[in-house]
Amino acid sequence: MNRHSSLSNSLFVRILYAAIPLLCIGNSSFASSAIPKDSLAKDFLFFCDKLESSHPDPYSAFGGKPYFSLARDMALERILSDSLSVNGFCDLLNEFIIPLKDMHTFVNYPNSNEVNEIRYVQRISFNVLNDGLMVAGIAEPYSQYLGSRLLAINDVPADSLYKRMEKIKPSENRADNMQNLSLWGNQDRILDRLGVNVNGNDRVYYQLLTPQADTISLELPIVEREHIADVEMARLKSSLNLPKGNLQYDFIDGKGNVMYLRLSSVMARENYKYCYDQGWDNARGDIEYHYKSVGKDMPENIEEAINAIPSFSEEFYGMLTEMKDKGAEYLIIDLRGNGGGWTPITLPSLMMMFGDDYFSKRFEVKNIRLISDLYLHKTNQTIEELNRSWGTSMKLGDYLFMDNDYQGDDIASIRKMMIQNAMTEIPEILQSLDGKQLYQPKQIFVITDPGTFSAAFHYAFYLHKMGATLVGVPSGQAPNTFMEVTPFTLPCSGLSASISNTLQQFFPKDSPLAKELIPDVRIMSQDYARYNLDADTPVLKILDICRGE
């Protein structure tokens, strides 16, 4: 597109703004794939308005405000000229924000019959490793190819597919691109956009490198959604009987020397209670979702329902007490697939393991939060209430600069203040420790993968700074990125969306670690081969390290 056509299109779209009605057409849900263009345009402009007023830096990634406006106008022109489905609109909006490299800013896809129109490869799935994508599931007749590494799809090299993926789905780093390919790359429409040239064909060719170092080409069919499960899927299996539920723990070495803690989310009683007590939107809905996700009936009394949810600090206290009683040396914290939650509920665990050493540690982390109407709505407060609680005189549009290093020499006073404000169910126990450790394991291992995100990434980072060993694959979250979901609803379609409200900086901007936090022990495909393609290879490798092997 030349310069003149860009300017002409931009002017055309600005003129069309006046034609977009102020009121939405229809209601908050659209059952069919057809949706009024004016309603989509209204929702898109509403999203852009929230982005400009609530995001810490919506312009720089586009090259400045003029180019942000140009990208917005071009996207709006497409909305007004094309017949987009709901999913197509979500695709467009999420692609519009790709330059931000921000996984906390998004619009959620709806539950829609449109997914039934997508065709899928039957059947293959991958794990992300440091040396590429490894086959973790495959149609049963081809089970001998489990553990193989992806080389290409239809002769398009895997590295090219990772790079192309960042133009289709939002991501923050290479690990995130690889994860996106593993999640979305089995759909015919995504493969077409990746240049794999499916184009209505009913077969895809995968070039794989087997664990025996043989290069093979595997042909798999593309089928409608309802036929995917017609073929059984072989998957990697684990030789270990590990705890599965969130905050569940147990010794796994047969000697009481290696404790394993599963953290599938950073969500617990503390944050549910806080949100409900503060009157946050959908606090009760979040509690209901918790019970649904764990397959339990929710008590009718809301206080009983909250109190029945496990407490992060109580469970951690119980685990450390058991380790202390046995003199256990090693702790494994498994954060694989942990999409995050609430970072503040992890603070008591750091205090129990490290005592005042945690408060005296220099983390050199900076956070910059934009104060917006959207942020105030999320936290259920007015700007006056915020200023009273923070002792500030801020206005909408101001930035709050924060760091995670505790200022001053009086550690005892800092500790007292932190305990008073901590999200914890055991403040008396924390106070009784008086800055001492409850118990510090000799060595802490933290397992991460691209699904270790948001609050889970924070926890991994802080544990690493305190001396823990990271094992696995880099998180799909960049250390220097935008943070914190700030939810809202698009007025016409009823789609749920979010805008980040904070810019975080964990490393200097020019550091190679600014984009990926690299594990100390990197898990590769040869590690899986060594441990007989065990699904819990990272845990087995840690057990060998604990045994000195």
Side-chain angles (χ1 to χ4, degrees), residues 161-214:
L161 295 172
Y162 306 149
K163 189 68 177 175
R164 294 177 188 180
M165 199 72 209
E166 70 181 9
K167 304 295 184 183
I168 299 174
K169 294 292 179 182
S171 66
E172 296 188 5
N173 56 29
R174 176 178 166 83
D176 209 3
N177 291 331
M178 295 170 70
Q179 177 86 330
N180 280 337
L181 181 62
S182 72
L183 292 174
W184 298 88
N186 65 337
Q187 298 183 9
D188 62 344
R189 65 190 187 107
I190 297 297
L191 290 171
D192 277 336
R193 296 184 62 194
L194 287 169
V196 172
N197 297 323
V198 176
N199 291 329
N201 294 329
D202 58 0
R203 303 226 159 252
V204 177
Y205 296 87
Y206 288 82
Q207 288 78 47
L208 304 174
L209 180 66
T210 71
Q212 295 77 33
D214 296 321

Side-chain angles (χ1 to χ4, degrees), residues 266-400:
V266 190
M267 302 282 281
R269 184 192 310 157
E270 288 88 343
N271 57 271
Y272 291 114
K273 182 177 181 180
Y274 175 84
C275 290
Y276 186 79
D277 289 345
Q278 296 297 314
W280 283 29
D281 281 354
N282 206 35
R284 186 183 184 94
D286 288 342
I287 297 169
E288 292 172 351
Y289 180 80
H290 164 79
Y291 277 93
K292 182 179 179 180
S293 66
V294 298
K296 294 182 178 180
D297 292 332
M298 177 176 163
E300 291 186 10
N301 182 281
I302 190 64
E303 291 185 0
E304 291 180 10
I306 292 173
N307 289 332
I309 298 173
S311 155
F312 197 103
S313 48
E314 286 180 353
E315 296 299 320
F316 218 96
Y317 173 78
M319 180 193 70
L320 287 180
T321 299
E322 287 190 32
M323 293 187 70
K324 183 177 182 180
D325 290 344
K326 290 182 176 290
E329 295 181 288
Y330 303 105
L331 171 61
I332 301 171
I333 300 177
D334 191 345
L335 296 175
R336 287 177 292 178
N338 187 322
W342 282 68
T343 303
I345 70 174
T346 66
L347 171 60
S349 70
L350 299 172
M351 296 172 64
M352 285 187 277
M353 287 190 289
F354 305 112
D356 282 350
D357 287 347
Y358 167 71
F359 294 112
S360 59
K361 180 72 176 180
R362 295 286 295 177
F363 291 101
E364 299 180 333
V365 168
K366 298 187 184 303
N367 291 283
I368 306 168
R369 174 172 291 150
L370 177 68
I371 306 303
S372 67
D373 279 326
L374 194 61
Y375 174 76
L376 293 173
H377 179 76
K378 171 184 175 176
T379 56
N380 193 32
Q381 60 184 328
T382 64
I383 189 68
E384 292 78 17
E385 290 169 335
L386 179 145
N387 282 323
R388 281 197 298 271
S389 64
W390 289 0
T392 56
S393 56
M394 305 192 73
K395 305 181 297 297
L396 289 176
D398 284 351
Y399 289 91
L400 177 67

Side-chain angles (χ1 to χ4, degrees), residues 12 16 37 74-84:
F12 168 74
L16 280 177
K37 296 178 181 180
M74 292 174 67
L76 183 60
E77 179 185 355
R78 181 180 163 193
I79 292 171
L80 292 170
S81 60
D82 293 355
S83 296
L84 294 176

Side-chain angles (χ1 to χ4, degrees), residues 82-94:
D82 293 355
S83 296
L84 294 176
S85 65
V86 180
N87 273 14
F89 172 69
C90 293
D91 284 340
L92 180 145
L93 205 157
N94 284 323

Side-chain angles (χ1 to χ4, degrees), residues 1 12 22 88 94 98 105 151 188 206 293-294 334 355 363 447 457 500 503 518 530 541:
M1 181 179 294
F12 168 74
L22 296 177
N94 284 323
I98 279 177
T105 295
L151 299 179
D188 62 344
Y206 288 82
S293 66
V294 298
D334 191 345
F363 291 101
I447 307 177
F457 172 85
S500 294
L503 170 63
I518 306 299
R530 174 186 173 188
K541 185 158 187 172

